[in-house]
Amino acid sequence: MSQGTERVALVVRGGWEGHSPVAATDMFIPFLKEHGFRVRVADSPEAYADADAMAGTDLVVQCYTMGTIEPHQLAGLTSAVRAGTGLAGWHGGIADSYRASSDYLQLIGGSSRATRPSTSRSGTGTARPTTSSRTG
């Protein structure tokens, strides 16, 4: 984690465009800056493989849907989280990021199983996430 008073947030975004990763994270970046974070933005999980940068990162905000993560990238993310770096995300940007990696799913404690339709008062369908969590 970073030393001193400046906090660093790494925003990793990309993958499936249906979750609007750039637009979604662009809504949060000003909030992070207003709360004293210097924000770095990456468009792939390769940022996790930079051990020096990850050691200076206080918070990872991930919005990356249906991608893949290489073992060296996951090792960097896992090491940072174990060292105290926060990990945040929402919906498919974290719970449906790297489906094929059981180690990643163990790190976040769950996965997105499906998105099912629901109905609103107007009768139009909207997506609602269904997630599961694992224990033990």
Side-chain angles (χ1 to χ4, degrees):
M1 293 193 314
S2 64
Q3 301 296 317
T5 59
E6 182 180 59
R7 297 179 296 169
V8 177
L10 170 63
V11 175
V12 177
R13 60 192 187 182
W16 183 58
E17 287 299 320
H19 282 156
S20 305
V22 173
T25 54
D26 278 351
M27 289 188 294
F28 286 92
I29 290 172
F31 176 84
L32 291 168
K33 289 179 178 179
E34 289 167 13
H35 287 84
F37 283 91
R38 181 172 56 87
V39 178
R40 294 181 16 242
V41 177
D43 62 3
S44 85
E46 187 59 31
Y48 299 144
D50 184 339
D52 291 334
M54 291 303 291
T57 299
D58 297 287
L59 174 64
V60 171
V61 177
Q62 182 176 278
C63 186
Y64 203 99
T65 305
M66 296 189 297
T68 58
I69 191 165
E70 298 298 323
H72 69 285
Q73 298 164 341
L74 180 58
L77 175 61
T78 301
S79 293
V81 170
R82 283 188 180 139
T85 298
L87 176 60
W90 56 91
H91 191 55
I94 195 164
D96 194 19
S97 296
Y98 311 117
R99 296 176 183 182
S101 174
S102 60
D103 290 335
Y104 172 78
L105 297 175
Q106 184 68 34
L107 174 68
I108 65 163
S111 65
S112 177
R113 294 177 23 214
T115 300
R116 62 180 179 233
S118 66
T119 56
S120 66
R121 290 179 192 243
S122 66
T124 60
T126 58
R128 185 173 70 223
T130 300
T131 60
S132 67
S133 62
R134 297 189 244 189
T135 58

